[in-house]
Amino acid sequence: MVTIVGAGFAGVEAAWACAERGVAVRLYEMRPQATTPAHTTPWFAELVCSNSLKSKAPDSPAGQLKTEMAALGSLVLTKAAEHAVPGGQALAVDREKFSRAVTEAIEAHPLIEVVREEWRPPSLTLAPSGVLVLATGPLSTDHVSQWLAERTGRRHLHFYDAVSPTVDAATLDRDVVFAQSRYDKGEGDDYLNCPFDKDQYTAFVRALVAAERVPLHAFEAGGNRTAPTGQEPSPADQEGAFIEKVKYFAGCMPIEVIAEKGERSLAFGNFKPVGLTDPRTGRRPYAALQLRPENREKTLYSLVACQNRLRFGEQKRVFQMVPGLENAEFVRYGVIHRNTYIDAPRVLTPWLELRETPGVLVTGQLTGVEGYVESAAMGIWAGLVASARAKGQEVEPPPRATALGSLLAHLQDTTERDFAPMNINWGLFPELEPQVKDKASRRALKVRLARDAAQAWMAVP
């Protein structure tokens, strides 16, 4: 028997993958006996944010991932198709009907035993089969978080997701953006630089400060600041308390908060141009936003020190004012929010197994992927691994060219960086050799290579 903890998107997919392969599962779900600040129902795979499961287009990154998941027997995608609602190009679902259908399917499976109680980490035996799958998500209980911290090292367990926007390298304007490390320290292409003149910088800062921000969730806003007796803390006090907590855990400050301190605060801080020379002018720029590679292939770049709480549409509008980013495609936007996840490249194997605790698999958002579909995909992979282990077998990881393999490669990329959760996107797929300049042709080839690689991998008994 395999023990799985958590019946979100990853947990139900892991349980289904095991059971459909003839392996008995004990699935723990603490709701409704206990709940989280984000959940409101007792149903499995509850959608707590959007009801969209991303693009239905088969030639998109999310579409290719769905194709691979469907071929592996995804329960989530089956029920999503049965309870879809109009959503344009996105696969949108009726929240309650979808989650209820997933729950009924899991509870009806003869090889899945559902235990409606909070699972607490054992001190000795992990599971009868020796395989335990943790799928407890970004709001894991204190018991699970503490146990993970003890086995991974507290520095490898993050409680807040405080990261900068990430862009597709192929969409940068290389006539403007230039490669240089400050004072030419390090390799010449360690950083890319977006140079501002004074007017460009001033316009950017003013737009940044005025941009609309994401309101705090109730469970994020708590902190040390208190309101007078009988009064609720003001939004400013709530945000201040939240920033204090995030700074404590992640050592960060939202870029818009820094900009509010004075129009030149970024030019003297995050965007200081010292040690840089714009090759177009031969002079130091007024200010410079730096880009840092997010992976070995340098197909993705993050905007250094640009973590923020702006709405996604506002981020695109404001950051496309940066010279060289006018046509940049954002594969993820900056966020600062509550999100428990582990430093996967340092603590997980390609089989999602804790390096220091054999027999324990971690899946879903805990691994450092973002999104319902990505979490479900990690659940399927964990289920394949767990079911094989329960039978005394092993399973080969999916090829790098596949969408699933590209997500796993992100979780194994030990490039010197601050590891951050990521959605499936074009930049995660391997770079083409030789490079293809035309965007449409490049993406079509990536999809074709992914399909071919996935079919060959799944054909192996």
Side-chain angles (χ1 to χ4, degrees):
M1 178 178 287
V2 171
T3 299
I4 299 174
V5 185
F9 275 73
V12 297
E13 289 283 28
W16 192 257
C18 286
E20 288 292 278
R21 287 160 179 79
V23 174
V25 173
R26 179 174 290 128
L27 175 63
Y28 282 84
E29 172 53 55
M30 68 180 186
R31 294 179 295 121
Q33 279 72 20
T35 190
T36 76
H39 291 87
T40 59
T41 79
W43 309 120
F44 300 163
E46 179 182 342
L47 295 100
V48 298
C49 296
S50 168
N51 70 328
S52 170
L53 303 187
K54 296 187 177 172
S55 176
K56 294 185 290 189
D59 57 351
S60 66
Q64 175 57 32
L65 183 60
K66 290 190 186 78
T67 297
E68 296 171 18
M69 293 166 61
L72 293 169
S74 170
L75 172 66
V76 161
L77 293 182
T78 298
K79 298 306 176 185
E82 293 175 1
H83 299 286
V85 297
Q89 289 297 308
L91 174 58
V93 301
D94 181 299
R95 292 173 184 271
E96 183 171 342
K97 290 180 179 178
F98 165 76
S99 295
R100 186 189 295 267
V102 170
T103 305
E104 291 172 351
I106 290 289
E107 291 182 333
H109 201 293
L111 289 180
I112 300 177
E113 174 194 357
V114 175
V115 181
R116 290 279 194 169
E117 64 182 49
E118 181 182 348
W119 178 89
R120 296 196 177 188
S123 56
L124 297 174
T125 305
L126 296 178
S129 67
V131 181
L132 170 69
V133 179
L134 289 181
T136 50
L139 297 178
S140 296
T141 64
D142 291 343
H143 298 291
V144 172
S145 296
Q146 178 63 33
W147 191 73
L148 277 173
E150 291 171 355
R151 280 151 182 77
T152 62
R154 189 166 296 277
R155 70 185 185 281
H156 294 306
L157 182 64
H158 307 279
F159 293 97
Y160 289 91
D161 193 359
V163 296
S164 297
T166 301
V167 295
D168 185 336
T171 64
L172 302 175
D173 184 350
R174 297 301 180 119
D175 290 333
V176 175
V177 176
F178 64 93
Q180 185 187 12
S181 295
R182 286 194 173 93
Y183 300 109
D184 294 317
K185 293 181 179 180
E187 299 296 328
D189 59 352
D190 281 353
Y191 288 89
L192 299 180
N193 303 275
C194 302
F196 291 91
D197 62 28
K198 183 177 180 180
D199 290 342
Q200 291 169 330
Y201 172 82
T202 300
F204 170 81
V205 169
R206 291 176 180 176
L208 177 66
V209 171
E212 187 177 0
R213 304 176 189 184
V214 176
L216 292 172
H217 294 292
F219 59 89
E220 294 178 319
N224 295 326
R225 299 188 183 191
T226 58
T229 303
Q231 296 182 24
E232 290 294 323
S234 69
D237 279 343
Q238 288 185 338
E239 183 166 15
F242 175 76
I243 290 169
E244 287 177 0
K245 289 200 297 180
V246 175
K247 187 175 182 180
Y248 174 78
F249 284 107
C252 75
M253 179 68 73
I255 186 174
E256 66 273 16
V257 174
I258 297 173
E260 286 177 334
K261 295 179 179 179
E263 201 162 83
R264 296 210 64 193
S265 57
L266 290 176
F268 288 113
N270 304 36
F271 292 3
K272 62 183 178 183
V274 294
L276 298 174
T277 302
D278 186 344
R280 298 175 304 165
T281 65
R283 299 190 302 272
R284 186 172 75 184
Y286 185 81
L289 185 156
Q290 289 200 304
L291 307 174
R292 181 171 51 219
E294 272 291 294
N295 57 2
R296 291 191 187 93
E297 295 94 341
K298 297 183 178 178
T299 57
L300 298 172
Y301 279 84
S302 64
L303 282 59
V304 176
C306 289
Q307 59 274 354
N308 67 86
R309 288 187 61 86
L310 305 186
R311 291 190 180 279
F312 288 175
E314 290 287 79
Q315 289 189 47
K316 181 178 181 180
R317 178 181 66 84
V318 173
F319 285 110
Q320 283 188 336
M321 295 174 66
V322 175
L325 302 187
E326 292 87 352
N327 297 306
E329 292 187 11
F330 291 80
V331 301
R332 71 159 292 154
Y333 290 102
V335 291
I336 303 179
H337 63 184
R338 170 79 181 271
N339 184 17
T340 304
Y341 66 98
I342 61 177
D343 190 356
R346 278 82 189 173
V347 303
L348 288 185
T349 72
W351 293 270
L352 304 183
E353 186 172 30
L354 287 175
R355 296 182 187 277
E356 300 301 321
T357 312
V360 177
L361 310 182
V362 178
T363 193
Q365 280 193 244
L366 274 178
T367 65
V369 299
E370 263 193 349
Y372 297 133
V373 175
E374 291 85 346
S375 296
M378 289 299 101
I380 293 174
W381 175 233
L384 295 178
V385 174
S387 60
R389 295 278 180 89
K391 298 175 182 178
Q393 302 169 353
E394 289 293 335
V395 59
E396 284 297 315
R400 176 70 177 82
T402 64
L404 184 55
S406 293
L407 271 179
L408 288 171
H410 167 65
L411 302 184
Q412 291 295 300
D413 190 342
T414 55
T415 300
E416 285 300 319
R417 57 177 176 150
D418 293 327
F419 176 71
M422 186 74 73
N423 298 107
I424 187 67
N425 63 77
W426 289 117
L428 291 185
F429 287 78
E431 191 54 78
L432 301 173
E433 293 292 344
Q435 292 187 353
V436 178
K437 294 295 184 181
D438 178 69
K439 182 169 71 173
S441 299
R442 181 173 65 249
R443 294 178 174 181
L445 181 54
K446 286 186 176 184
V447 168
R448 182 167 64 79
L449 293 174
R451 290 173 181 170
D452 291 345
Q455 289 173 1
W457 176 61
M458 294 179 197
V460 176

